């Protein structure tokens, strides 16, 4: 009998360093984008995220830091760049895996 694949072990081993950034002298930390819980997928368009989708993803990533971050005035273009840098930190766009394909 084969051993069941333990997804908890895979998640723990695949964990990446958190993404850190600063704005207005404050430092924030988010998990790597790919470590967000799957529940966020039902509320955003991963293929072509809108400004609202980006906000939803950043809110999920910042968790209990969101209120502090939200109080800081940030231009919309800067939010887009923050989102790109967060994705870049992981090395693959959100929604794309670094695993190989069958093709």
């Amino acid at each position: 009998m084969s051993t069941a694949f333990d997804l908890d072990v895979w998640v723990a081993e695949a964990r990446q360093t958190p993404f850190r950034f600063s704005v207005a002298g404050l430092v924030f930390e988010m998990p790597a984008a790919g470590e967000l819980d799957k529940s966020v997928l039902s509320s955003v368009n991963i293929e072509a995220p809108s400004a609202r989708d980006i906000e939803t993803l950043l809110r999920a990533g910042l968790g209990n830091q969101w209120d502090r971050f939200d109080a800081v005035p940030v231009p919309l273009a800067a939010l887009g760049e923050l989102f790109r840098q967060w994705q870049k930190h992981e090395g693959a766009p959100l929604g794309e895996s670094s695993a190989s394909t069958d093709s």
Side-chain angles (χ1 to χ4, degrees):
M1 180 184 251
S2 66
T3 305
F5 172 67
D6 191 332
L7 190 56
D8 292 326
V9 170
W10 183 91
V11 168
E13 290 175 354
R15 191 144 308 218
Q16 297 185 12
T17 58
F19 174 69
R20 293 172 47 97
F21 69 96
S22 64
V23 61
L26 302 170
V27 176
F28 297 91
E29 186 174 287
M30 297 189 289
E35 292 185 15
L36 291 180
D37 187 74
K38 65 179 175 50
S39 63
V40 76
L41 293 174
S42 63
S43 59
V44 296
N45 178 354
I46 294 296
E47 300 301 319
S50 68
R52 181 68 63 200
D53 292 335
I54 290 171
E55 179 185 359
T56 298
L57 291 164
L58 290 173
R59 182 185 293 260
L62 285 163
N64 62 4
Q65 302 168 89
W66 175 257
D67 289 339
R68 192 167 54 111
F69 175 77
D70 195 36
V72 177
V74 177
L76 288 178
L79 287 182
E81 184 59 25
L82 174 61
F83 185 67
R84 282 187 288 283
Q85 292 299 318
W86 186 28
Q87 290 175 300
K88 186 177 173 183
H89 170 75
E90 187 169 22
L94 197 62
E96 290 184 18
S97 167
S98 59
S100 62
T101 62
D102 291 336
S103 54

